[in-house]
């Protein structure tokens, strides 16, 4: 089975721009979760989608949003980028609640 | 608000030694406690996980000890090897809402 794929792997944006990141889960997995990883804050939960519905949400501002499509692929959008949004954005897929979460390699976002 | 506290921040162990990483959580509603291993440039990978109705779980050289009353759990790596050198994260979750500890950078010296 192919693993979780994320595109693009690297992205450079400037302050004020917006960005869309994509995640393709493992075939058959219906849950996709997004995380932000930074050296200072560690791994922080952004949100989780299950069957196209946002099921859980972390403590991030409304500039961070996401969606999931009928094929379980998910996108994450960050609007009005700030320097502090520079991070590794990871997505993870699982078959359901408390199933193992499989992480993708992440998208490294740099905001200049 | 850090819901999962992890220590130590870094750990150096000799080859063959035991590595111990500790975590404490606050929310008693958490019902799933995984440990992840992350190598540079890679996403985290699940190592071992436990549910609160079990006090210990062992898989190969990796053991989780879980103390529900103290709201603490720990990872023990027996016979640590240089290939175990990585960053380890504990986590706690409710229904896939997962909160991670800050991570422990483990270095196993040959």
């Amino acid at each position: 089975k192919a693993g979780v794929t994320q595109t693009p792997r690297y992205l450079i944006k400037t302050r004020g721009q917006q960005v869309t990141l994509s995640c393709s889960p493992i075939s058959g997995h219906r849950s996709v979760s997004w995380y932000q990883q930074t050296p200072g804050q560690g791994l922080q939960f952004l949100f989780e989608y299950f069957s196209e519905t946002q099921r859980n949400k972390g403590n991030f501002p409304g500039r961070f949003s996401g969606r999931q499509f009928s094929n379980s692929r998910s996108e994450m959008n960050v609007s009005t980028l700030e320097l502090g949004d520079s991070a590794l954005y990871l997505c993870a897929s699982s078959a359901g609640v408390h199933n193992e979460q499989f992480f993708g390699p992440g998208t490294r976002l740099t905001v200049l | 608000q850090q819901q999962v506290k992890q220590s130590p921040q870094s750990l150096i162990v000799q080859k063959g030694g035991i590595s111990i990483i500790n975590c404490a959580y606050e929310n008693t509603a958490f019902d799933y406690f995984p440990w992840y291993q992350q190598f540079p440039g890679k996403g985290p990978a699940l190592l071992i996980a436990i549910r609160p109705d079990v006090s210990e779980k062992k898989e190969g050289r990796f053991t989780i000890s879980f103390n529900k009353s103290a709201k603490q759990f720990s990872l023990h790596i027996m016979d640590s090897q240089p290939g175990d050198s990585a960053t380890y994260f504990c986590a706690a979750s409710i229904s896939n809402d997962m909160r991670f500890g800050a991570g422990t950078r483990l270095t196993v010296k040959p």
Side-chain angles (χ1 to χ4, degrees):
Chain A
K1 255 185 184 179
V4 177
T5 58
Q6 292 187 246
T7 57
R9 291 293 313 278
Y10 302 91
L11 207 48
I12 299 175
K13 292 284 187 179
T14 56
R15 278 182 301 173
Q17 287 187 308
Q18 75 163 17
V19 67
T20 299
L21 312 181
S22 181
C23 172
S24 292
I26 291 171
S27 177
H29 285 189
R30 295 166 65 189
S31 169
V32 173
S33 299
W34 287 90
Y35 297 87
Q36 181 195 65
Q37 187 173 28
T38 60
Q41 299 297 317
L43 267 161
Q44 292 188 287
F45 173 75
L46 280 153
F47 30 66
E48 185 225 2
Y49 285 86
F50 184 84
S51 293
E52 302 179 67
T53 300
Q54 187 180 87
R55 191 161 63 173
N56 294 296
K57 190 177 189 307
N59 301 320
F60 277 80
R63 300 185 298 107
F64 292 83
S65 62
R67 59 178 175 168
Q68 187 179 35
F69 302 95
S70 58
N71 62 358
S72 293
R73 189 178 70 85
S74 178
E75 287 182 347
M76 190 192 98
N77 184 275
V78 188
S79 62
T80 319
L81 284 166
E82 301 177 359
L83 294 178
D85 296 334
S86 294
L88 180 68
Y89 289 89
L90 292 157
C91 86
S93 77
S94 73
V97 177
H98 295 335
N99 291 97
E100 177 178 353
Q101 288 200 14
F102 292 86
F103 280 83
T107 294
R108 172 75 62 185
L109 172 64
T110 302
V111 182
L112 303 176
Chain B
Q1 182 184 357
Q2 191 179 4
Q3 295 194 41
V4 182
K5 294 183 180 179
Q6 183 174 346
S7 63
Q9 195 172 17
S10 63
L11 182 61
I12 300 174
V13 173
Q14 290 295 127
K15 178 183 174 182
I18 303 173
S19 304
I20 301 174
I21 306 170
N22 300 298
C23 283
Y25 62 97
E26 298 168 2
N27 188 346
T28 54
F30 287 135
D31 59 0
Y32 178 68
F33 301 87
W35 284 88
Y36 284 85
Q37 179 189 56
Q38 186 176 28
F39 293 103
K42 304 283 188 183
L46 179 69
L47 206 54
I48 186 172
I50 198 168
R51 299 192 192 284
D53 53 347
V54 176
S55 61
E56 185 174 282
K57 183 174 181 181
K58 183 176 180 179
E59 289 184 0
R61 296 184 295 110
F62 302 93
T63 300
I64 298 179
S65 297
F66 187 84
N67 186 329
K68 189 174 181 179
S69 60
K71 294 188 286 185
Q72 295 176 347
F73 58 111
S74 61
L75 175 70
H76 294 231
I77 305 174
M78 312 299 287
D79 187 27
S80 298
Q81 299 297 312
D84 296 332
S85 297
T87 300
Y88 292 80
F89 295 93
C90 63
S93 83
I94 312 166
S95 185
N96 272 1
D97 180 342
M98 192 170 296
R99 308 298 166 128
F100 284 83
T104 296
R105 181 169 289 185
L106 171 65
T107 302
V108 181
K109 297 207 163 190

